[in-house]
Amino acid sequence: MFLAKAAASRYGFLPELRQRRFPMLDFALSAFVTLLLVVDPVGLAPAFLAATSGMPDKVKRTIALRAPLIAASILVVIALVGNWLLRQLGIGIPAFQIAGGLLLFGVSYQMIFGDRPHREAREADKATSEHASDVAVFPLAIPMMAGPGAIATTLLLSGDAGYGARLAIIIAIVLAVCLLCMLCFLSANLIARTLGRTGNAVLSRVLGMLLAAYSVQFVINGIAAVRASLA
């Protein structure tokens, strides 16, 4: 038995055995990492500083608390009605996996080649220059946290989860990621000083590469499901 386990570990079979033994844990970790990469709480810290530039510290703190709550509410509602919405539209899960994977690949492309941070900074500057009544809603909650990528990811994950314990895990993950955003907003000054412009650029590109791999896996899963249904 020991030799069998050693051989399995050496040739890469042990992770598969663990996946069979702890499917719920594997699902939770995969879902958390995917949504975390899409939202990128640390990468949103500079955008938060730009959107709240010149505001009193008390107002900044209020926005830092309110924006993640708004984004979490949006994503939780999407997680709860995602399956129903797909059924009403007549969209199968494999089709949405392929479309969502392609959309997430576009988000990862922007992260890798530097378009996303610049776009977020422009949206933050626009909100500030137009004296937006509540920057917690725009651009922080929408579209920076609960943007197209996060919405597509939540729909994909809730579609895979169905109802029951897995859906509860998805909701808990949404709340956890939004809580991380809240902590990053409250620590935005420290994060900006620590990472600097170079550090933020490197982090964005590394996370973009990981997200690209996840998005391709979504497409592969969707194609495999279509082939299985036609077989």
Side-chain angles (χ1 to χ4, degrees), residues 59-221:
V59 175
K60 289 183 179 181
R61 192 176 302 108
T62 301
I63 294 174
L65 296 174
R66 188 178 180 189
L69 293 177
I70 296 172
S73 301
I74 295 171
L75 296 179
V76 166
V77 170
I78 290 172
L80 291 173
V81 303
N83 288 325
W84 175 84
L85 180 62
L86 292 179
R87 286 197 301 270
Q88 295 301 312
L89 296 176
I91 300 174
I93 295 299
F96 197 83
Q97 283 180 321
I98 296 173
L102 294 176
L103 177 60
L104 292 182
F105 188 83
V107 174
S108 67
Y109 180 90
Q110 293 174 352
M111 293 174 68
I112 293 171
F113 291 97
D115 293 336
R116 185 182 181 188
H118 294 313
R119 175 172 53 83
E120 289 174 345
R122 286 196 301 269
E123 289 172 347
D125 290 338
K126 181 180 179 182
T128 304
S129 62
E130 291 177 353
H131 304 287
S133 59
D134 196 351
V135 295
V137 178
F138 175 85
L140 293 178
I142 306 169
M144 291 185 181
M145 283 184 284
I151 291 174
T153 301
T154 304
L155 276 173
L156 281 171
L157 296 174
S158 62
D160 288 339
Y163 295 100
R166 290 197 171 200
L167 181 59
I169 290 175
I170 296 301
I171 294 175
I173 287 171
V174 167
L175 296 177
V177 171
C178 290
L179 177 61
L180 288 176
C181 288
M182 184 183 297
L183 295 176
C184 288
F185 289 165
L186 293 173
S187 308
N189 287 319
L190 178 61
I191 293 174
R193 288 195 303 268
T194 303
L195 289 180
R197 181 174 298 180
T198 302
N200 188 55
V202 171
L203 179 64
S204 178
R205 281 156 178 78
V206 171
L207 295 179
M209 286 296 298
L210 293 174
L211 181 59
Y214 270 99
S215 65
V216 172
Q217 187 62 52
F218 275 128
V219 175
I220 292 173
N221 293 342

